[in-house]
Amino acid sequence: MLEPQPLQRRAATAQETAHVASGLRARRKRKNLLINSFAYLVLGLIALIMLYPFYWTLITSFEPTGNIYQAKLWPSGWSIKNYVEVFRGTTVPFWRMVLNSVVICTLGVTFTVGFAALAAYPLAKMRFPGRDLIFYAILTLMVLPNEAGLIVNYSTTVNLGLLRQDNPVLNVLAQYAAVVLPGMASIVGLFLIRQAYLGIPMELIEAARIDGAKELTIWRRVMLPLALPTIVAFSILEFVAYWNSFLWARIVLRDKELLPLSAGLLELSGTFSTNSRAVMAGAVLTIIPILIVFAFGQKYFMKGIEGAVKG
Amino acid sequence: MTIPTRRESRREQHKKGSSGAKVTLRNTLIAYAFMLPFLILLVVYHTWPVFFGTYLAFTKYNVISPPQWVGLDNFRELAQDEQFWSGLRNSLKYILVVPVIQVLSIAVAMLVNRPMKGIGFFRTAYYVPVVTSFAVVGLIWTWMYQQEGPVNFVLQALGLMKEPHSLLNNPFTALYAVMFVTLWKGIGYYMVLYLAGLQAIAPELEEAAVIDGATRLQVFWNVTLPGLRPTILVCSLLSTISAIKVFEEIYVMTSGGPAGSTYTALFYTYSRAFVDFKFGQAAAGGLIIAVISILFGLVNFRITRGGKADA
C-alpha cells in the first residue's frame, strides 16, 4: 500500500520506472482482488454456518408434512397450519405467554435501567463519605464467583413469600416480581452509566445547583438527557436479556400460565412433541422481536458489550 | 469519543474536589437515597448469596425448614458421589472450547476488520446467534442434530461419517455436539471484543513493520498479537469461567444424558437442589466450582502475563 508512492515520485523523472510502477500496481491490484475474493468466500461460508440453522427452522415451520429433519434449501410445501396451532394455544397459552414476556420485559428493563441510572449519579458526581468504599465493594462483587446464586436466590424468593398461593391477584404480581427482582441490580449497567455521567461537564451541574435545582431535577434534566445514548444502549441489552432468560422463570414460577415465551417454548417442546413443526413455529415467533430490536439497535449492541468489558 | 479517557475523568474528580457541593449530612443522605434501591437489591440478590451460599455448603437445608449445621458432611458425600466427579470431569473437558473459540474469534475479527464492501452484513450475521436465547438455540440444534438432519447430511457429504448417527444420543459424541453449539453461539460475542481490540492498535505500528520488510505473519505475530494481549486476557478469562459453569445448553439439549455423558458440575448442583431438594449439598458443589473457577482465573492471568501489552 505504501510502496507505490515513492515509486510514483521517481516515475516523473524516468519513463521506464513509470512502466515498472504501473506493472507493480496492476500486480498488486490482481493480488488484492484474489485475496478479497478468497476473503468473501470464507466470510460467506461462516455466514452460512451462522444463519442456516435459523433459515432451516423458518422454512421447516412452514411445511405441512414431509420429512421434517431433512437438510433442505426450500420447503416441500407451504402452509400456516403450524402457526395456527400455536396461535390457538390448545396445549400452551401462547398469547398469555406473549403477555407475560411483555410484562416481565417492561418491568425488568424499566427498573433495572432506572435503578442503575439513579445509583450511578452520586457515584459519578457527588462527594460523600463511603463513596470509594461502595464503589470498590461493588467492583469486587462483580468478580466474585457466585455459583450458589441460583440456590440462595430461590430460598430468598420463597422466604420473601413471593411464591405464596393464597390470593389470586396478588400472587400473580408477586410471581412476576419473583422473576424480575434478582436481575434488577445490574453492576455492568451501573458502570456503563457511571462512565457516561463522568463525561458530563461539572459546570452544568454546578450551574443548576446555583439556580437552586434539586438533585433529582438535575438528574432528570441534565444527567439523563446527556447520558441518553448509553441509557438506550443499556436498555436494549437488558431487553434482550429479559426476553431471552428462561431458566430462573422455569425454576421459580409455580403457575405455568405465567411463564414468559422463551421458557414457554420449552414447555411447548414437551407437550407438542408430536408436532415439532409447531415448536419450530414457536421458536420463530420467539426470535422475531429480538431480531427487530437488534436490527434497529445494532450499533448500540457493539458499543454496549465493548463498554461492559472496559467498564 | 463519548467515553472519557482516564485522564479526563481524573480531571473531573479533581474539579469535584475543589468546587463540588460541600460534604454535608444533607448531601450525604441525598447521595445514599439515590443509591438505596440499587444497593438493597444488590445486597439481597448478589451479596447475600455469596455468604449464605458458603454457609449452606456446611448444612443440611431443604428451604422449608431452617438449615442444620453438618460440618463437612456434604463435602464427604460429594467426594463419594461418582456423579459429582463425572460432572466435574465434563466441566473441565468443556474448557477445550476456550482455545478453539479464542483462535477462531481472533481469526474472524481480523477477517471482518478488513475494509471491504458489505462487511457490516457479515458482522451482523455472526452476531445473530449471540442475541438469540439458549432456549431457542438449544431446540434448533437438537433438531439439526437428528439422525436424518442437516448436521449428519453435511458430515456425510464431507466424508467424515459413513452412516448417520443421532449425535446427541450417543455418549461419545453428545458432549462435543453441545460444545459446538457453545462455540457457534459464542464466536460473534468474542469477535466484537477482538474487533474493538484490533481497532485500538495504532495502524502506524503495523505500517512501520511492513515498511521494515516484515511479512504478514511477522506483523501478526510481533505487532497484532501483543497488541491484543489485554483483550485475550479478558476474553479467555470470560470463556474459561463460562465453560466451567456451562449449564443452559446442557439443560435444554441433553439434560445431562445420554448415560450421564453431558452431566456437568453446575448441572449436578442444579439437580441436587431442584430435583432432590438437597440445597446444602448443592451449595457445597457450587462452592467447589467457585474455587475451581478462581484458580483457573489466576492461572489464566499468569499465562497472559496480566494482559500487559508490553510484557
Side-chain angles (χ1 to χ4, degrees):
Chain A
M1 255 187 231
L2 284 166
E3 267 168 59
Q5 279 176 338
L7 281 176
Q8 248 168 3
R9 230 173 288 134
R10 248 181 288 156
T13 55
Q15 199 75 36
E16 317 85 88
T17 333
H19 190 68
V20 173
S22 75
L24 256 176
R25 231 174 300 144
R27 214 167 72 197
R28 185 166 288 271
K29 214 173 170 185
R30 267 204 305 279
K31 200 179 155 200
N32 267 342
L33 197 73
L34 199 74
I35 291 178
N36 269 352
S37 12
F38 182 68
Y40 276 123
L41 194 74
V42 177
L43 285 168
L45 194 68
I46 303 173
L48 192 70
I49 298 172
M50 293 298 182
L51 297 182
Y52 180 73
F54 295 106
Y55 174 72
W56 178 82
T57 308
L58 178 73
I59 57 176
T60 311
S61 72
F62 278 109
E63 284 179 342
T65 51
N67 191 346
I68 173 167
Y69 297 121
Q70 207 171 36
K72 58 193 129 205
L73 293 172
W74 201 247
S76 60
W78 290 96
S79 152
I80 54 162
K81 89 179 221 297
N82 303 311
Y83 286 87
V84 172
E85 202 170 323
V86 175
F87 288 146
R88 269 212 201 110
T90 37
T91 39
V92 280
F94 175 75
W95 295 110
R96 183 61 207 264
M97 282 167 178
V98 172
L99 178 74
N100 295 335
S101 276
V102 170
V103 170
I104 288 170
C105 283
T106 311
L107 286 176
V109 173
T110 311
F111 286 107
T112 310
V113 176
F115 289 163
L118 277 171
Y121 177 41
L123 287 175
K125 293 289 182 193
M126 285 186 196
R127 281 181 70 211
F128 59 90
R131 189 182 74 177
D132 291 348
L133 184 78
I134 287 178
F135 187 73
Y136 288 111
I138 294 173
L139 202 70
T140 317
L141 211 54
M142 190 155 81
V143 294
L144 225 56
N146 183 14
E147 267 67 31
L150 215 57
I151 298 160
V152 178
N153 284 347
Y154 179 75
S155 117
T156 307
T157 308
V158 171
N159 291 329
L160 286 175
L162 292 174
L163 303 182
R164 224 180 287 146
Q165 312 257 317
D166 43 20
N167 176 323
V169 181
L170 275 181
N171 286 343
V172 168
L173 293 176
Q175 286 187 67
Y176 280 139
V179 173
V180 291
L181 278 173
M184 251 184 212
S186 165
I187 300 176
V188 169
L190 182 80
F191 285 141
L192 276 177
I193 297 173
R194 177 183 166 270
Q195 201 67 19
Y197 286 168
L198 284 176
I200 297 172
M202 205 60 210
E203 287 79 8
L204 281 177
I205 300 163
E206 295 292 327
R209 277 183 192 147
I210 290 166
D211 287 349
K214 288 197 185 93
E215 292 294 336
L216 201 63
T217 316
I218 299 176
W219 176 74
R220 224 181 56 223
R221 293 281 167 80
V222 181
M223 307 307 280
L224 280 192
L226 288 176
L228 200 62
T230 305
I231 287 173
V232 171
F234 179 52
S235 308
I236 290 177
L237 288 176
E238 281 302 305
F239 171 78
V240 172
Y242 276 107
W243 186 272
N244 283 346
S245 66
F246 60 94
L247 183 66
W248 178 246
R250 280 199 107 192
I251 288 177
V252 93
L253 286 176
R254 300 272 162 91
D255 211 340
K256 294 289 170 249
E257 287 265 301
L258 294 176
L259 283 175
L261 204 50
S262 50
L265 192 65
L266 295 174
E267 293 290 307
L268 194 69
S269 84
T271 47
F272 260 111
S273 50
T274 45
N275 185 7
S276 289
R277 282 198 184 82
V279 188
M280 291 182 182
V284 170
L285 293 168
T286 310
I287 307 176
I288 287 173
I290 290 297
L291 287 186
I292 293 172
V293 168
F294 181 53
F296 284 107
Q298 224 200 95
K299 58 174 180 186
Y300 293 118
F301 271 90
M302 309 293 176
K303 279 277 156 276
I305 72 164
E306 282 167 28
V309 168
K310 277 184 203 150
Chain B
M1 274 277 278
T2 44
I3 299 167
T5 62
R6 201 164 288 163
R7 197 183 305 143
E8 271 173 272
S9 62
R10 203 176 295 149
R11 198 187 302 147
E12 208 62 59
Q13 259 152 14
H14 176 70
K15 200 168 281 168
K16 205 167 357 180
S18 55
S19 67
K22 276 187 210 83
V23 183
T24 58
L25 183 66
R26 201 183 122 79
N27 284 341
T28 306
L29 286 178
I30 290 174
Y32 278 95
F34 267 94
M35 298 185 299
L36 194 65
F38 186 91
L39 289 181
I40 290 175
L41 286 167
L42 195 73
V43 167
V44 173
Y45 291 107
H46 292 258
T47 319
W48 173 242
V50 176
F51 295 104
F52 191 56
T54 309
Y55 165 69
L56 280 186
F58 302 93
T59 65
K60 231 178 197 42
Y61 184 48
N62 61 4
V63 178
I64 301 153
S65 41
Q68 264 181 302
W69 183 265
V70 293
L72 291 172
D73 275 8
N74 289 327
F75 294 94
R76 243 171 258 137
E77 266 174 64
L78 281 182
Q80 283 157 10
D81 192 346
E82 182 42 40
Q83 238 182 349
F84 176 71
W85 287 107
S86 88
L88 216 51
R89 267 197 304 276
N90 284 331
S91 280
L92 294 181
K93 224 189 262 175
Y94 221 87
I95 297 178
L96 270 177
V97 169
V98 177
V100 180
I101 204 171
Q102 297 309 317
V103 169
L104 286 179
S105 19
I106 292 176
V108 171
M110 290 184 67
L111 208 56
V112 297
N113 196 25
R114 294 171 65 85
M116 300 201 321
K117 237 180 234 158
I119 204 73
F121 164 77
F122 293 104
R123 286 184 194 170
T124 311
Y126 303 167
Y127 204 73
V128 171
V130 181
V131 294
T132 315
S133 172
F134 255 124
V136 173
V137 163
L139 284 176
I140 289 183
W141 280 97
T142 312
W143 299 319
M144 297 275 295
Y145 276 130
Q146 295 287 328
Q147 194 153 357
E148 60 272 40
V151 175
N152 270 295
F153 176 81
V154 171
L155 289 178
Q156 279 179 290
L158 292 174
L160 293 169
M161 239 165 52
K162 283 211 181 66
E163 275 166 27
H165 287 282
S166 184
L167 294 165
L168 286 177
N169 289 328
N170 181 329
F172 295 102
T173 54
L175 192 68
Y176 300 99
V178 180
M179 275 185 195
F180 178 78
V181 178
T182 307
L183 188 71
W184 176 83
K185 195 179 188 297
I187 279 185
Y189 180 80
Y190 295 108
M191 171 196 80
V192 171
L193 295 180
Y194 280 120
L195 201 56
L198 283 173
Q199 282 162 0
I201 298 172
E204 296 81 31
L205 283 177
E206 284 174 0
E207 279 163 17
V210 171
I211 290 171
D212 288 346
T215 62
R216 269 169 197 274
L217 196 69
Q218 282 173 324
V219 173
F220 173 74
W221 203 252
N222 296 312
V223 180
T224 315
L225 214 52
L228 280 181
R229 188 171 279 152
T231 320
I232 296 175
L233 170 77
V234 172
C235 291
S236 53
L237 198 64
L238 285 176
S239 70
T240 308
I241 291 173
S242 53
I244 295 172
K245 302 197 327 189
V246 58
F247 181 76
E248 288 189 319
E249 39 272 69
I250 305 281
Y251 175 84
V252 178
M253 295 177 72
T254 63
S255 304
S261 61
T262 60
Y263 212 87
T264 61
L266 210 61
F267 199 81
Y268 177 88
T269 63
Y270 166 83
S271 348
R272 279 305 146 275
F274 299 107
V275 180
D276 305 340
F277 292 99
K278 290 183 174 170
F279 280 74
Q281 205 174 342
L287 195 63
I288 292 175
I289 303 171
V291 170
I292 291 175
S293 50
I294 290 177
L295 289 179
F296 269 92
L298 291 175
V299 169
N300 213 311
F301 199 72
R302 284 299 284 274
I303 290 175
T304 44
R305 285 173 246 171
K308 271 184 229 126
D310 54 354

